[in-house]
Amino acid sequence: MSSSRPGPTAMREERRAESLVMGGALGFASGVIGLLPWLLKGGRLPLQNLWQTETRPDAMPYALLPVSQYSATTLLVLLLVGGVVAGGATRLLRRTGRVEAWSVSVGLLLLQVAALLQAFIVVADGLGIGRPGVDSRSLLYFTGMLGGTIVSVMLAQALFWLISRRSVGPAALGLVLAAVPVTSWIVGAITAVVDPYAAALVIGSVFRWLPAVIVGAVLGWCGVVPLRRLGVWVAGLAALWVTPALFTAVSNALGMRVLDGDLREMAQIAVKIFPAVLDIGVGPVILAALLGAAIVVVRWAVARGGRRSEALADPDA
């Protein structure tokens, strides 16, 4: 009698196909999660200075990304968090053998590229890109925002591949680099469902101190052995110090409408603002370093106590 049960090869192929589908779906879903704060706010494109027709804010078209020089850092955060979520989920599930990293990466990339294309098609239509007599400033704006968004998608992929690694060092590096963007995402999600003015104090405290807690916890998990992991500590603390100042400088430079697309003036404004706001980040850096060191010490003490207990229980060992 012939058996209807599939052979080992067929079963492996079936499991592999399921793994690929699950990975693609996971990457796609992670990308959607990254966009949630923007989608919860309604997803209407921000007002555009160079829009060809005068349009009210509530009549702006829908876009899957907030394409605007005033929302440049928000756009970056939405895409990066998709990579963080996908990387973290992949790292947890890879041990079960149920997903393959590259399929998750492809799913994430497809979602983010689709969102990019939809948003920029809408923007191109509103700016008159491709029509005769288009304003050169519109071309500069469109090209600059498109280039920046493509770079953001690539950075999301980089974070994904770091965080999804089985090794603790690369995963920890990705997580500490993502601490500020993740916090910005959380703040965006809060303001999407809560009046930002009513919760301004809480939001300010979250944005200032939560990255330090995230970095400290990750550094404590990373540890200092082998010694090359100290590089993760340096990178994490440096990113915690510099990234908020960089976000502030870039947001202010891009948001100064009076500069009217003067890239040199924008760069000069960013260079002036950046060192002025660096001092704000010193406190969180100290907190992160102390928290990370405390966790390392506690883990060392617990491990040492466990070894001592084993030695007492088995004196002949």
Side-chain angles (χ1 to χ4, degrees):
M1 295 180 62
S2 61
S3 174
S4 60
R5 295 180 60 185
T9 302
M11 292 180 65
R12 282 196 298 269
E13 290 298 323
E14 183 178 345
R15 284 197 296 267
R16 180 172 173 78
E18 291 177 355
S19 174
L20 295 179
V21 171
M22 181 178 292
L26 176 60
F28 194 92
S30 299
V32 173
I33 291 172
L35 300 181
L36 269 183
W38 169 244
L39 299 178
L40 289 174
K41 290 181 179 179
R44 287 197 179 273
L45 191 69
L47 286 174
Q48 307 287 314
N49 296 336
L50 301 171
W51 214 240
Q52 287 202 325
T53 58
E54 186 175 347
T55 309
R56 300 189 317 273
D58 59 352
M60 290 295 287
Y62 287 97
L64 293 174
L65 293 175
V67 180
S68 170
Q69 72 271 32
Y70 307 114
S71 304
T73 55
T74 300
L75 195 157
L76 170 66
V77 164
L78 295 175
L79 294 172
L80 291 185
V81 168
V84 173
V85 173
T90 301
R91 192 174 194 278
L92 291 174
L93 293 175
R94 281 177 83 169
R95 298 176 182 177
T96 67
R98 299 180 65 184
V99 297
E100 295 194 26
W102 71 266
S103 64
V104 181
S105 172
V106 170
L108 173 67
L109 185 62
L110 288 175
L111 181 280
Q112 293 189 336
V113 169
L116 181 153
L117 290 174
Q118 187 275 337
F120 277 91
I121 287 172
V122 170
V123 172
D125 181 63
L127 296 176
I129 302 296
R131 299 172 193 165
V134 63
D135 191 331
S136 60
R137 295 177 302 168
S138 297
L139 285 172
L140 176 63
Y141 167 74
F142 181 83
T143 304
M145 291 301 303
L146 178 59
T149 305
I150 292 173
V151 170
S152 299
V153 171
M154 294 170 63
L155 290 175
Q157 286 289 312
L159 278 181
F160 164 78
W161 285 107
L162 276 175
I163 295 172
S164 64
R165 291 278 298 276
R166 289 187 176 90
S167 302
V168 171
L173 177 61
L175 290 171
V176 294
L177 294 178
V180 174
V182 166
T183 301
S184 296
W185 185 92
I186 293 172
V187 169
I190 293 173
T191 57
V193 296
V194 177
D195 182 3
Y197 298 102
L201 185 60
V202 173
I203 291 171
S205 298
V206 168
F207 187 75
R208 177 169 168 76
W209 297 108
L210 182 57
V213 175
I214 295 173
V215 171
V218 172
L219 293 179
W221 168 65
C222 176
V224 294
V225 179
L227 288 179
R228 63 175 176 270
R229 289 189 184 175
L230 289 175
V232 177
W233 285 66
V234 173
L237 295 175
L240 178 61
W241 185 37
V242 170
T243 305
L246 187 61
F247 274 25
T248 301
V250 171
S251 296
N252 279 274
L254 292 177
M256 295 191 70
R257 186 175 178 181
V258 68
L259 297 180
D260 198 21
D262 190 326
L263 299 181
R264 181 177 297 179
E265 286 291 332
M266 287 181 176
Q268 290 177 352
I269 290 295
V271 169
K272 288 179 181 178
I273 293 175
F274 179 72
V277 293
L278 272 178
D279 290 346
I280 300 175
V282 173
V285 168
I286 294 173
L287 173 62
L290 292 176
L291 178 59
I295 293 174
V296 169
V297 170
V298 169
R299 291 180 62 194
W300 173 80
V302 170
R304 185 181 181 185
R307 289 193 298 269
R308 182 176 296 176
S309 297
E310 291 176 1
L312 291 175
D314 188 6
D316 297 327

